[in-house]
Amino acid sequence: RRVHGAIMDLLVRVHGHEVLVDGAFNGDPHPGNILMLTDGRLGLIDYGQVKRISRADRVQLAKLIVALADRRTADAVETLIAMGFRTKRMDPEVLAVLATLFFDRDDKSVIGEQNVQMFFESLDARDPIVTMPEAYIMAGRLVMLLRGMGTLFCYPIAMATEWRPIAEQVLRDEAAAVAAQQPHSK
């Protein structure tokens, strides 16, 4: 378990950096695209589904990650809407759960006793997704694939908690960049 945990921690950090800092990431990080090298390093291969995400979209995602990590539901819903997500009825409870499922966790506190697929279907019946911005589709897929690997290793992942330090740095860097562009008054 300790080795699996170390591997998952590294994969989560690397992919969080790719998504939130670099703005280019592998949208297909399944176990077949991860090699354990003989010297103990990990090899990440098959970047055939590279997705680029703009700085503005990364800043929005960073805001969402921090809100989810802090369990600030209203802020998470507001940010998800600002990111361009729409459901038919714009039910805040459904939006909060969607934010959590796509970008944080899928444990029993979120989905109860259902499996993820059945839970998504029940959400869709309650308030179907109308718009899911392209910029975030592959990032959400990446999160779900990494969580699935964590489940395989009996190592549950709350992605917002794990990515929070990276997201906070992105938000600090953005605030500094904005401040640097402001005219200085005497």
Side-chain angles (χ1 to χ4, degrees):
R1 174 155 161 72
R2 190 178 326 157
V3 170
H4 293 149
I7 292 169
M8 287 309 304
D9 287 344
L10 180 58
L11 287 171
V12 165
R13 281 194 315 274
V14 165
H15 286 89
H17 190 276
E18 285 181 347
V19 170
L20 294 168
V21 177
D22 297 335
F25 61 94
N26 180 2
D28 195 27
H30 62 75
N33 287 341
I34 300 163
L35 304 174
M36 182 63 127
L37 304 176
T38 57
D39 63 2
R41 292 178 301 143
L42 291 180
L44 303 178
I45 64 170
D46 189 6
Y47 274 65
Q49 290 190 36
V50 170
K51 175 65 180 160
R52 297 193 185 285
I53 184 169
S54 73
R55 179 155 184 86
D57 289 336
R58 285 183 276 142
V59 168
Q60 286 292 82
L61 183 55
K63 289 177 185 176
L64 179 64
I65 294 296
V66 172
L68 289 168
D70 290 346
R71 303 290 201 268
R72 289 184 285 115
T73 304
D75 291 343
V77 169
E78 181 180 316
T79 304
L80 194 73
I81 292 168
M83 291 165 71
F85 284 79
R86 300 290 181 270
T87 61
K88 185 175 182 178
R89 292 180 261 300
M90 295 300 285
D91 180 333
E93 289 178 17
V94 170
L95 290 165
V97 172
L98 288 172
T100 301
L101 286 172
F102 284 125
F103 300 107
D104 189 16
R105 62 194 196 290
D106 60 4
D107 57 27
K108 291 193 183 301
S109 72
V110 180
I111 66 171
E113 296 300 320
Q114 293 182 346
N115 68 42
V116 175
Q117 179 66 38
M118 291 182 72
F119 189 75
F120 266 116
E121 289 173 7
S122 69
L123 281 179
D124 189 60
R126 180 172 167 187
D127 189 8
I129 297 172
V130 175
T131 303
M132 185 174 187
E134 184 179 334
Y136 303 108
I137 291 172
M138 292 302 278
R141 180 177 191 275
L142 171 129
V143 168
M144 289 182 206
L145 284 169
L146 289 175
R147 280 197 323 245
M149 273 192 285
T151 299
L152 177 70
F153 291 143
C154 298
Y155 193 81
I157 299 169
M159 197 63 71
T161 301
E162 299 297 326
W163 281 6
R164 180 188 183 148
I166 302 167
E168 288 175 332
Q169 185 62 52
V170 166
L171 295 175
R172 284 191 298 273
D173 291 349
E174 181 65 13
V178 169
Q181 293 183 1
Q182 299 299 318
H184 300 296
S185 58
K186 294 183 179 187

